[in-house]
Amino acid sequence: MAEIESIRRVGARLINANSDEVALLGPTSLGLNLVAHGLDWKDGDEVVCYPDDYPANVYPWTSLAGKGVRVVPLQPERVGEITPELVMKALTPRTKLVALASCHFLSGFRLDYEGIAEELNRRGILFCLDAIQSLGATTIDVRHIDFLAADSHKWMLGPLGAGIFYVKRKNFELLKPALVGAWNVRSPGFIAQPEIAFEPSARRYEPGALNLLALHGMKASLELILGLGVKQIEARLLDLRSFSEDRLLANKFKVIGFANRRSQKSGITTIAIENEAEAVAQAKKLRDNRVDVSLRQTRSGIHCLRLSPHFYNTEAEIEEVIKILLS
């Protein structure tokens, strides 16, 4: 129990939360579904989301249509570029929740979550953040965020299935636990009680045994990241992004979002390739040379190679990647 609470405290430090507001749950989709199915939705309520986000942050919200919830889709001019202005235009008096990703999984466009969160908080609209695409690589402060979910296996450098699910304390009664078990419902002496009384902390969203082995791994990786400093990691990743963009553009590659402001960029660098066969061949060539790359595509059919170097990667490695692409 003491070790579990120490892991909770480390997770809370990463997002500037109170430890009793953090549930130790992965994957990301589990936390998002707990939000989607734990709120008391009324017929005609609206949820604002982006249909070209990673599917884990789309289906929990679109599935609410069966409850009479109106899904309001954001439609940016360019893939992933969700701006505060776009979000504000989508709001109506019926908007109950805005659910967005902290960074787009394909374009690497970084959300101005603070500007959006502050305005939503002022209007009394709930805000849920899917943070897996940037948590650990950029600073995220949950001061004005109601809910956050992120598994640790990406930028947090932890194992699959270990993650953080954050619920602001004031929302504990608002967000009903959608799952119940012996861990989140009080059972004195391990005896089931006639009435369900939830634990007073975010543990109320943890129904059963935790993935403790993976959580130990997550704790170690988060202590490493916090020790290095998230701001320092972010600065390093943005420098690598600029370096990659400059070299790729100089060699006539198409880089998604290269013209965006530095504050809108992340560690994700995505190369657009019109021809599918070429994209597949390039991805295979990189993998054959021990370069980890993701092959993706947009809804419009543009194929992409996504590079996600972390702070430990070097400019020399980026140069080597470009040599392989050009070979």
Side-chain angles (χ1 to χ4, degrees):
M1 289 291 293
E3 183 60 24
I4 289 172
E5 292 311 308
S6 73
I7 299 171
R8 214 183 291 279
R9 287 193 294 272
V10 173
R13 280 179 58 202
L14 185 67
I15 57 175
N16 193 31
N18 297 303
S19 61
D20 67 346
E21 298 175 309
V22 173
L24 299 174
L25 294 175
T28 308
S29 57
L30 174 56
L32 300 177
N33 272 279
L34 289 175
V35 176
H37 299 290
L39 293 174
D40 182 21
W41 297 97
K42 307 296 184 187
D43 189 50
D45 282 345
E46 294 177 353
V47 57
V48 174
C49 64
Y50 178 41
D52 281 334
D53 242 332
Y54 192 74
N57 195 34
V58 177
Y59 293 136
W61 319 118
T62 57
S63 70
L64 293 172
K67 296 184 178 182
V69 177
R70 179 172 177 259
V71 180
V72 179
L74 295 175
Q75 297 176 320
E77 291 184 11
R78 290 173 294 276
V79 62
E81 296 191 10
I82 304 298
T83 63
E85 294 75 20
L86 185 67
V87 175
M88 297 311 140
K89 288 179 181 178
L91 304 180
T92 77
R94 301 303 302 268
T95 306
K96 185 182 185 75
L97 175 77
V98 173
L100 298 173
S102 59
C103 176
H104 191 256
F105 78 103
L106 181 58
S107 70
F109 186 89
R110 189 150 46 115
L111 188 74
D112 178 9
Y113 77 91
E114 289 181 303
I116 293 170
E118 288 182 15
E119 182 60 24
L120 294 179
N121 187 62
R122 189 183 70 81
R123 300 188 188 201
I125 297 171
L126 297 170
F127 186 30
C128 180
L129 194 67
D130 172 356
I132 191 171
Q133 301 295 339
S134 66
L135 189 57
T138 62
T139 301
I140 293 183
D141 189 322
V142 294
R143 180 176 38 177
H144 296 302
I145 296 171
D146 294 286
F147 315 107
L148 175 148
D151 201 75
S152 72
H153 70 273
K154 291 204 172 188
W155 297 101
M156 287 188 273
L157 303 175
L160 281 162
I164 295 171
F165 176 51
Y166 161 81
V167 179
K168 192 175 289 294
R169 189 187 295 115
K170 71 175 185 178
N171 293 324
F172 284 175
E173 295 305 316
L174 186 66
L175 185 70
K176 303 298 182 184
L179 304 171
V180 294
W183 181 247
N184 64 343
V185 179
R186 292 181 178 179
S187 304
F190 300 102
I191 298 171
Q193 304 296 300
E195 294 184 0
I196 292 178
F198 292 108
E199 291 290 334
S201 68
R203 178 177 155 182
R204 63 178 52 210
Y205 303 106
E206 303 167 351
L210 299 175
N211 188 2
L212 192 55
L213 183 61
L215 288 171
H216 275 291
M218 182 183 80
K219 180 187 180 186
S221 64
L222 293 188
E223 287 176 336
L224 170 67
I225 286 170
L226 289 167
L228 292 170
V230 178
K231 288 184 178 179
Q232 287 80 358
I233 290 173
E234 178 181 321
R236 171 62 179 161
L237 291 176
L238 291 177
D239 286 346
L240 280 177
R241 168 76 183 257
S242 295
F243 183 88
S244 302
E245 284 181 343
D246 290 346
R247 296 301 190 276
L248 288 165
L249 291 170
N251 285 283
K252 310 304 181 184
F253 289 100
K254 296 180 180 178
V255 180
I256 294 178
F258 74 90
N260 292 332
R261 298 192 300 272
R262 184 177 171 92
S263 63
Q264 296 173 324
K265 296 181 181 182
S266 67
I268 295 172
T269 302
T270 301
I271 306 166
I273 300 175
E274 298 288 344
N275 184 277
E276 179 181 4
E278 181 186 349
V280 171
Q282 289 281 36
K284 183 180 185 303
K285 186 165 57 175
L286 287 168
R287 290 167 183 159
D288 288 345
N289 283 275
R290 300 177 64 192
V291 177
D292 192 9
V293 62
S294 295
L295 183 62
R296 295 287 186 263
Q297 68 180 62
T298 67
R299 189 178 295 274
S300 61
I302 297 175
H303 294 265
C304 305
L305 294 178
R306 186 184 69 188
L307 304 173
S308 303
H310 217 319
F311 63 84
Y312 45 76
N313 289 116
T314 66
E315 286 82 359
E317 289 172 331
I318 300 296
E319 294 277 21
E320 184 63 26
V321 168
I322 295 173
K323 286 181 183 178
I324 295 168
L325 288 170
L326 292 171
S327 65

